[in-house]
Amino acid sequence: MIEEIKRVARQRLAAEGANLSLRAVARDMGMVSSALYRYFASRDDLLTVLILDGYNALGDAVEAADAAVTDRTRLRARWLSATRAVRDWALANRAEYALLYGSPVPGYAAPQDTIAAAARTPIVLAAILTDGYAAGIVTAAGFRRPASLPAAVQADLSRTRDQIAPGLPEELLHAGLTCWLQLFGVLSFELFGQLNNVIDARAEFFGQQMELMADLMGI
Amino acid sequence: MIEEIKRVARQRLAAEGANLSLRAVARDMGMVSSALYRYFASRDDLLTVLILDGYNALGDAVEAADAAVTDRTRLRARWLSATRAVRDWALANRAEYALLYGSPVPGYAAPQDTIAAAARTPIVLAAILTDGYAAGIVTAAGFRRPASLPAAVQADLSRTRDQIAPGLPEELLHAGLTCWLQLFGVLSFELFGQLNNVIDARAEFFGQQMELMADLMGI
DNA sequence: CACATTAGAGAGCAGTGATCTTGCAAGAGT
DNA sequence: ACTCTTGCAAGATCACTGCTCTCTAATGTG
């Protein structure tokens, strides 16, 4: 039953957009709205579950795309495959993408579960660098060195490194972080309409940007 | 009167978040909700006006920050000043930033007015490159050449160049576009909570990223 | 068979955007 | 000074929203 509600809610989300209506979901299911409260404590609760599912669905897609490159030393191919998977998933699930990476709901604070699920995608990307570093393919000296990192940023990177990419030099993590931001920057602009009248060849542009980021990471 | 409504709506937006309520605005003004319909055709109409104002306020701030650098040949200083202004404005007007650069409302299509206002900020950034190119400070060969651009992307860049940065080589515009995306990628992640538990030293990180982008553009 | 649990229905509350009609008050014209 | 027009806001109303409450019907389980 919970699965059925989520299924209907998802397609409702895809059809109508971000503002999901509990009553509409109930109507689609031939139920009365109050009945849904037996399965979800509130609308926000349902949204949270959808967000969690979204992060996991995206994580699955990205992990699969990365794993599809059998030669694990082809770091660039892994990066391009994984980032392409992010874009494909986002295009196929625009409303859910907006839920995950768009403007947050005002009073809403992400529970601990979601941040773990949300970390899956960056972990895949970081793993590409970690593998490359472990195999000696990519080195901390191999890419253009950024201007000296402020100490506070260095500390953040160090902490984050220990959490998601143990053993990776901070400089490499920093490069990866930059590319991660670029990835979602491009994607958000594309999906949120900011690229309208600027770039029409979306897929080509995205691919080219990811190539550029691969260059930046030195993979 | 229209100005008063917008003023109240803005502070309501800042206090409550994205989901602006017409009735709440009316209540704050000691009016009844229907009275607002004399000044705005609908809630979306009011939001559109706020969005337009937002783009213009941001444009004002960015233009002023760029103009504050008296030596126009100090391209890097102009870039850092302008991008810093974007961040400052965004932090001071979080809800409005979300309105401009967050998930769009489903059925909503931006009128022509807004795209002109929205272009002001990228135009300032492009002007930095255009000025530098005209003065011979920055050259198309001066930055790391991206992998060959697909023809369709090249065409988009050419068209965009003619609109906002006449005379600029496509390669330079491409570099600028990349940095523009990075700018808003970093900012959106910061404001939308995606950087929580990853980077705490926000200002330092942002500044460092913009330095890196300046390197990428070769300014 | 009796009991306990569960699923859903229905009414109702307070809030929302939007429309339409009504009333009021100031300003203009004679 | 008296009308009359016009501009503006109030009020009622509709359909919708999230949510709570109570009540009934079905479904096992001992």
Side-chain angles (χ1 to χ4, degrees):
Chain A
M1 195 68 193
I2 289 180
E3 278 311 313
E4 174 68 7
I5 295 176
K6 291 200 289 189
R7 201 187 55 76
V8 173
R10 247 187 299 267
Q11 74 184 34
R12 192 89 219 166
L13 210 58
E16 296 289 318
N19 31 8
L20 178 68
S21 152
L22 258 179
R23 291 182 113 109
V25 173
R27 221 176 303 131
D28 285 2
M29 300 185 65
M31 290 169 66
V32 88
S33 72
S34 58
L36 295 190
Y37 284 84
R38 202 163 286 277
Y39 304 97
F40 295 95
S42 68
R43 194 194 82 125
D44 278 13
D45 200 71
L46 172 56
L47 276 180
T48 298
V49 172
L50 289 179
I51 288 174
L52 193 66
D53 282 14
Y55 277 128
N56 280 320
L58 176 59
D60 287 345
V62 174
E63 283 171 10
D66 174 50
V69 179
T70 48
D71 182 352
R72 306 305 286 160
T73 65
R74 295 180 56 216
L75 304 183
R76 177 178 283 257
R78 289 173 63 185
W79 166 257
L80 293 177
S81 174
T83 55
R84 194 199 155 83
V86 176
R87 180 167 182 269
D88 287 346
W89 186 88
L91 285 177
N93 305 277
R94 302 177 89 100
E96 280 181 270
Y97 178 88
L99 222 54
L100 305 186
Y101 294 101
S103 359
V105 226
Y108 181 81
Q112 201 68 16
D113 316 353
T114 65
I115 79 167
R120 287 179 59 187
T121 297
I123 282 175
V124 171
L125 304 181
I128 296 175
L129 283 179
T130 309
D131 290 358
Y133 180 70
I137 305 170
V138 58
T139 62
F143 63 99
R144 179 186 293 212
R145 245 194 135 64
S148 67
L149 291 172
V153 174
Q154 194 96 25
D156 285 336
L157 287 175
S158 172
R159 180 172 38 77
T160 303
R161 185 257 322 277
D162 294 343
Q163 284 172 6
I164 74 166
L168 198 66
E170 275 116 6
E171 290 87 351
L172 269 176
L173 180 66
H174 179 261
L177 181 54
T178 302
C179 297
W180 179 57
L181 290 166
Q182 182 75 8
L183 162 60
F184 283 95
V186 175
L187 221 43
S188 291
F189 260 37
E190 173 179 355
L191 286 164
F192 296 165
Q194 227 76 31
L195 244 42
N196 293 352
N197 307 315
V198 179
I199 297 289
D200 292 332
R202 303 288 165 81
E204 292 88 342
F205 180 73
F206 180 83
Q208 197 278 326
Q209 284 284 314
M210 291 305 105
E211 294 269 6
L212 186 64
M213 290 302 113
D215 290 344
L216 194 86
M217 288 186 289
I219 62 176
Chain B
M1 194 69 190
I2 289 181
E3 277 311 313
E4 175 68 5
I5 295 175
K6 290 200 290 190
R7 201 186 57 75
V8 174
R10 246 188 299 268
Q11 73 184 35
R12 191 91 220 165
L13 211 59
E16 296 290 317
N19 30 9
L20 180 67
S21 152
L22 257 179
R23 294 179 111 109
V25 173
R27 222 176 301 130
D28 285 2
M29 300 184 64
M31 291 170 66
V32 88
S33 73
S34 57
L36 296 191
Y37 283 84
R38 199 163 288 276
Y39 305 97
F40 295 96
S42 70
R43 194 193 83 126
D44 278 14
D45 200 73
L46 172 56
L47 277 180
T48 299
V49 173
L50 289 179
I51 288 174
L52 193 67
D53 282 14
Y55 277 126
N56 280 320
L58 177 59
D60 287 344
V62 174
E63 283 171 10
D66 175 50
V69 180
T70 48
D71 182 352
R72 307 304 286 158
T73 65
R74 295 180 57 215
L75 304 182
R76 176 178 284 256
R78 289 173 62 187
W79 165 258
L80 293 177
S81 174
T83 54
R84 195 199 153 84
V86 176
R87 179 167 182 270
D88 287 345
W89 186 88
L91 285 177
N93 306 276
R94 303 178 88 100
E96 280 181 271
Y97 178 88
L99 223 54
L100 304 187
Y101 294 101
S103 359
V105 225
Y108 181 80
Q112 200 69 16
D113 316 351
T114 65
I115 78 168
R120 287 180 59 186
T121 298
I123 282 176
V124 171
L125 304 181
I128 296 175
L129 283 178
T130 309
D131 290 357
Y133 180 71
I137 305 169
V138 57
T139 62
F143 63 100
R144 181 187 292 215
R145 242 194 138 62
S148 66
L149 292 172
V153 174
Q154 193 97 26
D156 285 336
L157 287 176
S158 172
R159 179 170 40 76
T160 303
R161 185 257 322 276
D162 294 344
Q163 284 171 6
I164 72 167
L168 198 67
E170 274 117 4
E171 290 87 351
L172 269 177
L173 180 66
H174 179 261
L177 181 54
T178 303
C179 297
W180 180 57
L181 291 166
Q182 181 76 9
L183 162 60
F184 284 95
V186 175
L187 222 42
S188 291
F189 261 38
E190 173 179 355
L191 286 164
F192 296 164
Q194 226 75 30
L195 244 43
N196 292 352
N197 307 315
V198 179
I199 297 289
D200 293 332
R202 303 288 164 81
E204 292 88 342
F205 180 72
F206 179 82
Q208 198 278 325
Q209 284 286 312
M210 291 305 104
E211 294 271 5
L212 186 64
M213 290 302 112
D215 290 343
L216 194 86
M217 289 186 289
I219 62 177

